[in-house]
Amino acid sequence: SSAGQSSEHIAMANRPFYGQVTVGPPGSGKTTYCNGMQQYLRLLGRNAWVVNLDPANERITQQERKMRAGEYKSNSEDSQGNEKKDNRVILPYETIFNVCDEIVNITSVMKETGLGPNGGLVYCMEYMETNIEAIMAKIQSRLVEQENPYLIFDLPGQVELFTNYTCVQNIMQKLQKNMDLRLTCVQLIDAHYCTDASKFLSATLLGTTTMIRLELPTISVLSKIDLLHSYGELDMALEFYTDCQDLERLVPFVDQSNKIMGIDEEDEFDIAKDEEYQQARRKRQSSSNLQRKFTKLHKALAEVVEDFGLLSFVAPLDISDAASVGRVLAKVDKCNGYVFTQEAANVQTSMFQCAVQHEVDYDALQEVKERVLEKPKSSNKTTA
């Protein structure tokens, strides 16, 4: 009845909803994180659902999924003898709302407007901002059917959405205000950037900008840490990248000629030790006006990030490691206040754990270094 539905909406309006907002550059692992976090939360007994607000997050089709899993059989044909294709798009996680299916998606926008990927995504986000009331109505109508839902928002990662436009910021502010959401932003930065000083400085500047624009309590995470050993050696210790202090110390490593890329460590001729080459490189650097400007630019980037002093990374994340995911979740619960909503028997324990938890988990960092960064290097030599 309408009276029953209205009472449900009133009850929903009187209780806050807790959740996470996942952001980060393209390729940082946002969708993988949402999937892994949803599974982890459900194992803990939380009713976790993903809200996909990324119009470009149109994942593989059902047929492609079956082909990758080896389950696809090409024995279904239509009346003309052509093979039937299952084009249903699926996501790796379970959604309570998917903007691609219900509001707008980038494929349709690009096809109808002729815009490119970046322009099409900006169009989609502005369209979502215009139709935010419809989005909220759809989400709220489904939340009343759930018991204590926990929401994970999957947002697009294009840089210009957080630097040049306010649509993402406006969407999140309206969602928080009208739905009484208690959110923590989880900002993912690919650990690969740690191997390139220039990319890492750029990522820290983008991370600081995102934190300022979204105005949410933020947990910054180095993602894909399990792949870090395959990216190359770090210029500094891992703790340096997680602390994000004294970033000017990275500036001397910005010039990529400081690194000899693509040279086998066991090569008889090690170009890095060639005195003539090193002398010529130093001469080029000292006489290069562009190089001096480049260095000055990165010093300014490091100074801006340090002056704001907002950015630091929690223990690096390996989404396949339950302990690593648990450390991130503990930080998230502390930021959005979920820790104070636990059952009476667990409230004091949870509060005590949060109170004594150190801001930087050095034991976790040491575990990551031992497991990922200090893997023994296999020799490529073969014995005769």
Side-chain angles (χ1 to χ4, degrees):
S1 64
S2 59
Q5 292 178 354
S6 62
S7 62
E8 288 180 344
H9 283 284
I10 292 174
M12 185 182 68
N14 292 331
R15 58 169 174 156
F17 296 101
Y18 293 84
Q20 308 176 23
V21 179
T22 310
V23 299
S28 58
K30 294 184 296 297
T31 298
T32 303
Y33 171 84
C34 291
N35 181 32
M37 182 57 72
Q38 183 184 49
Q39 295 182 29
Y40 185 85
L41 289 168
R42 289 187 171 182
L43 288 174
L44 295 180
R46 300 193 198 179
N47 186 17
W49 292 91
V50 177
V51 179
N52 179 33
L53 296 181
D54 184 358
N57 195 8
E58 300 173 278
R59 306 298 290 178
I60 61 175
T61 62
Q62 183 78 358
Q63 178 176 331
E64 289 173 334
R65 185 194 67 79
K66 291 181 179 180
M67 292 179 67
R68 294 181 186 183
E71 303 172 356
Y72 178 70
K73 296 181 181 180
S74 57
N75 56 4
S76 56
E77 299 180 350
D78 57 20
S79 57
Q80 285 79 28
N82 299 319
E83 181 181 344
K84 292 182 179 179
K85 294 184 178 181
D86 189 349
N87 291 321
R88 291 176 296 165
V89 177
I90 60 172
L91 291 165
Y93 44 63
E94 287 191 64
T95 61
I96 199 169
F97 174 80
N98 184 5
V99 71
C100 295
D101 295 337
E102 305 184 55
I103 301 294
V104 64
N105 61 76
I106 194 171
T107 301
S108 300
V109 168
M110 291 173 60
K111 183 177 180 180
E112 295 179 9
T113 64
L115 294 171
N118 291 337
L121 187 58
V122 172
Y123 180 97
C124 290
M125 298 308 296
E126 291 179 341
Y127 184 87
M128 289 168 56
E129 181 183 1
T130 303
N131 295 273
I132 187 63
E133 298 295 336
I135 294 176
M136 289 190 296
K138 289 178 179 290
I139 297 176
Q140 289 175 326
S141 65
R142 293 160 193 176
L143 288 179
V144 297
E145 302 172 358
Q146 302 294 328
E147 181 179 356
N148 297 325
Y150 186 98
L151 302 179
I152 305 172
F153 291 85
D154 192 0
L155 293 183
Q158 269 59 21
V159 173
E160 57 268 29
L161 294 176
F162 299 92
T163 58
N164 297 11
Y165 300 91
T166 60
C167 44
V168 175
Q169 177 184 355
N170 294 337
I171 288 172
M172 296 312 303
Q173 286 180 349
K174 291 178 181 178
L175 287 173
Q176 289 183 88
K177 180 179 179 180
N178 292 278
M179 297 177 58
D180 195 11
L181 298 175
R182 312 293 171 86
L183 300 175
T184 294
C185 177
V186 179
Q187 180 170 231
L188 303 179
I189 302 293
D190 195 334
H192 173 263
Y193 294 150
C194 295
T195 62
D196 188 319
S198 179
K199 290 181 180 178
F200 185 77
L201 288 173
S202 300
T204 57
L205 181 63
L206 174 61
T208 301
T209 303
T210 302
M211 295 172 71
I212 295 172
R213 297 295 290 270
L214 287 184
E215 299 178 344
L216 287 172
T218 303
I219 300 296
S220 298
V221 177
L222 289 174
S223 62
K224 303 182 181 179
I225 195 65
D226 53 311
L227 302 178
L228 185 58
H229 69 279
S230 63
Y231 296 147
E233 296 183 0
L234 301 179
D235 296 319
M236 308 290 286
L238 182 61
E239 292 85 351
F240 175 85
Y241 297 96
T242 57
D243 292 344
C244 284
Q245 297 178 2
D246 298 326
L247 291 177
E248 287 190 7
R249 294 172 61 188
L250 281 179
V251 174
F253 299 99
V254 166
D255 180 14
Q256 290 305 299
S257 62
N258 283 337
K259 297 181 180 180
I260 309 303
M261 307 300 292
I263 302 297
D264 195 321
E265 293 180 354
E266 300 171 353
D267 200 334
E268 294 180 1
F269 179 72
D270 188 356
I271 195 172
K273 299 179 180 179
D274 185 352
E275 293 183 2
E276 294 183 359
Y277 171 82
Q278 295 295 337
Q279 183 178 0
R281 181 175 62 80
R282 288 192 294 269
K283 182 179 179 181
R284 178 186 62 79
Q285 290 178 344
S286 62
S287 61
S288 173
N289 186 44
L290 176 62
Q291 181 62 34
R292 288 196 295 271
K293 291 182 178 179
F294 200 56
T295 300
K296 186 177 180 180
L297 170 65
H298 284 84
K299 284 183 178 179
L301 293 181
E303 184 178 351
V304 169
V305 175
E306 290 180 11
D307 285 348
F308 277 99
L310 297 175
L311 188 66
S312 65
F313 295 94
V314 300
L317 173 66
D318 176 3
I319 195 62
S320 62
D321 179 26
S324 179
V325 178
R327 284 192 290 266
V328 174
L329 180 61
K331 297 284 187 180
V332 171
D333 288 347
K334 183 178 179 181
C335 283
N336 62 16
Y338 186 87
V339 66
F340 301 108
T341 68
Q342 303 299 309
E343 296 180 1
N346 298 325
V347 168
Q348 294 180 350
T349 302
S350 299
M351 291 175 63
F352 175 76
Q353 290 176 347
C354 281
V356 301
Q357 186 177 22
H358 199 273
E359 290 299 324
V360 180
D361 193 342
Y362 289 104
D363 291 338
L365 280 175
Q366 186 61 32
E367 186 268 337
V368 169
K369 290 174 66 176
E370 293 176 355
R371 181 168 55 90
V372 177
L373 297 180
E374 299 177 4
K375 286 186 175 182
K377 297 182 180 179
S378 59
S379 174
N380 294 328
K381 287 185 177 181
T382 56
T383 57

